[in-house]
Amino acid sequence: MEEQIQTLKPQVLTAIQTAKTLAEIEEVRVQALGKNGTITGLMKELGNMEPDKRKAAGQILNVFKTEVLTEIEAKKKALETAELNARLAMESIDVTLPSRPETTAGRVHPISQVMEEMLTIFGQMGFEMAEGPDIEDDWHNFEALNIPADHPARQMQATFFMEGDQKSLLRTQTSGVQIRTMETKKPPIRIVAPGRTYRKDYDATHTPMFHQIEGLVIDKTTTLAHLKGTLMEFMKLFFETDDIQLRFRPSFFPFTEPSYEADVGGALARNIGKEWIELLGCGMVHPNVLKNCGLNPDEYQGYAFGCGIDRFAMLKYGIPDLRGFFEADMRWIKHFGFLPTDVPTITNGLSMNGGNKKC
Ligand code: DAH
């Protein structure tokens, strides 16, 4: 027995030493101490020995077995630590690497982008933002704006009425927010109101839902010159060029007197082979409108303007067809949309943001 242990010992210990993985060490353990293992075999042999010899041999065998078990445990621990270290080294994150480009980032819709651009500029010019409901009543959308029931201007704005209710409608213009503002706030008033508007219309330049932004300034000495100066400054900032001309063409809106359509000339118009581009409606708020909101026209006066946000977006970013805005085509949005980082805020402004990064 002693001899057998002497020959087995170096074999088992070498096998333990040279095992390179946890699987290998387990194999060594099974070969030595498993059911049919070499050491287990010797243990079985003890039973056939004479009692006095068995005692001595048993002692040696037990010492050997304990040694093997201790060695296996130690080797297992060493291998586990080594494997863990190797994994840690492999999976370690190099925080100094540059970040991957954000290929999965969504896009900001050009309408949202342009709305933010417009609000940012007006915000910087001292305007507050106002809002009104999409489902409007007859008073705010028409009546208070000096458009009585039989007025032909109602026909020009083909209206969606709520079913069975001629008094609730989808607002045809954001001008109603003028009324809501003057009903609740005393002058000085200086607001812009962006939002959705609706008319029964559908072709390359009309969709049943579109977007407008309304402006209203009411004070005691506000004049057309202020309107022109404000719009001029706005156009320069929005279209990011000083090469801008502004022309006021006499027009008619029931809620302004005098009324104008403002056209822009300069670089923007030349770019698309035109001398002038019709951009928005505006004028001095009609005395009847002031009266309808409880303001004395002898004390207060001011200007208003209203324009299509979609149209501004098309002009600035060269978008040819209005219908694309609302078709939810991912290819379109990928092409014309913006990264969230391009959206200006009141604090970083338009000019500081580097303006139109897409061109
Ligand atoms: N609400 C008009 C429209 O939808 C646009 C407009 C014209 C708004 C003149 C105004 C304005 O505030 O003064 O066609």
Side-chain angles (χ1 to χ4, degrees):
M1 171 72 71
E2 224 173 301
E3 261 171 43
Q4 279 170 300
I5 292 176
Q6 284 316 321
T7 36
L8 193 57
K9 195 171 174 173
Q11 286 170 15
V12 177
L13 292 182
T14 314
I16 295 173
Q17 288 316 314
T18 51
K20 286 190 195 67
T21 61
L22 286 170
E24 274 178 40
I25 197 81
E26 176 59 13
E27 209 172 296
V28 175
R29 189 192 66 79
V30 172
Q31 270 171 19
L33 299 160
K35 234 167 130 197
N36 301 315
T38 43
I39 297 178
T40 316
L42 291 180
M43 296 294 246
K44 281 181 194 155
E45 271 179 38
L46 280 180
N48 305 328
M49 290 171 95
E50 285 168 22
D52 51 336
K53 280 191 177 172
R54 186 197 303 160
K55 197 177 170 201
Q59 264 174 7
I60 307 171
L61 192 56
N62 262 331
V63 171
F64 175 45
K65 190 181 163 188
T66 313
E67 190 184 351
V68 168
L69 274 172
T70 321
E71 286 296 311
I72 285 177
E73 270 319 297
K75 184 71 183 182
K76 248 186 173 170
K77 278 233 168 73
L79 283 174
E80 271 167 6
T81 315
E83 271 185 25
L84 183 66
N85 284 340
R87 243 196 18 235
L88 284 176
M90 222 167 66
E91 291 173 5
S92 73
I93 296 165
D94 184 352
V95 291
T96 64
L97 283 175
S99 63
R100 296 197 184 105
E102 286 216 36
T103 46
T104 52
R107 291 290 187 277
V108 175
H109 195 284
I111 300 284
S112 308
Q113 166 79 13
V114 164
M115 213 185 266
E116 286 303 323
E117 291 180 10
M118 292 175 121
L119 290 174
T120 301
I121 297 169
F122 282 120
Q124 283 167 342
M125 292 169 97
F127 283 77
E128 281 177 70
M129 190 179 115
E131 279 179 305
D134 284 24
I135 299 177
E136 192 47 287
D137 54 46
D138 186 77
W139 169 255
H140 291 100
N141 195 76
F142 292 126
E143 199 78 35
L145 286 162
N146 205 27
I147 315 175
D150 54 357
H151 200 286
R154 289 207 182 194
Q155 259 76 63
M156 283 158 54
Q157 303 188 356
T159 310
F160 289 109
F161 289 96
M162 294 297 118
E163 225 174 342
D165 181 1
Q166 286 291 302
K167 295 281 172 199
S168 304
L169 46 93
L170 289 176
R171 64 177 174 191
T172 58
Q173 49 190 354
T174 43
S175 304
V177 187
Q178 289 187 35
I179 306 300
R180 291 186 173 272
T181 306
M182 287 187 281
E183 281 174 344
T184 52
K185 257 185 89 166
K186 283 270 153 271
I189 289 170
R190 201 175 175 77
I191 57 113
V192 277
R196 293 193 184 99
T197 45
Y198 307 82
R199 287 181 206 176
K200 290 184 196 167
D201 243 338
Y202 192 62
D203 59 38
T205 51
H206 298 91
T207 47
M209 191 276 295
F210 55 107
H211 300 81
Q212 288 190 336
I213 188 164
E214 191 80 16
L216 175 73
V217 174
I218 303 286
D219 208 334
K220 290 186 172 165
T221 55
T222 304
T223 69
L224 263 184
H226 294 124
L227 169 61
K228 196 162 184 179
T230 302
L231 287 181
M232 190 67 177
E233 194 57 25
F234 171 79
M235 299 300 168
K236 284 183 182 170
L237 288 168
F238 180 79
F239 290 113
E240 296 171 46
T241 171
D242 281 338
D243 186 359
I244 285 267
Q245 284 170 291
L246 202 56
R247 175 175 83 171
F248 278 18
R249 207 162 16 84
S251 184
F252 173 79
F253 298 101
F255 35 88
T256 42
E257 182 58 38
S259 302
Y260 301 94
E261 269 173 70
D263 303 336
V264 286
L268 189 64
R270 281 198 308 278
N271 275 350
I272 54 170
K274 289 191 174 173
E275 200 181 344
W276 296 101
I277 303 169
E278 191 186 313
L279 258 196
L280 53 89
C282 59
M284 295 301 288
V285 177
H286 197 292
N288 287 352
V289 174
L290 293 170
K291 271 189 237 161
N292 286 338
C293 300
L295 295 177
N296 179 359
D298 293 328
E299 194 182 355
Y300 294 112
Q301 59 183 42
Y303 63 78
F305 59 87
C307 44
I309 295 175
D310 320 56
R311 184 155 169 69
F312 272 72
M314 289 168 85
L315 277 173
K316 181 165 178 177
Y317 295 113
I319 302 171
D321 191 318
L322 182 66
R323 288 169 293 197
F325 279 108
F326 310 116
E327 278 170 359
D329 184 332
M330 288 308 288
R331 295 164 301 178
W332 187 94
I333 222 334
K334 258 197 182 139
H335 182 78
F336 287 115
F338 293 80
L339 287 174
T341 43
D342 287 337
V343 181
T345 64
I346 198 81
T347 43
N348 73 11
L350 239 203
S351 44
M352 277 180 271
N353 194 28
N356 178 8
K357 290 192 181 140
K358 285 182 66 85
C359 293

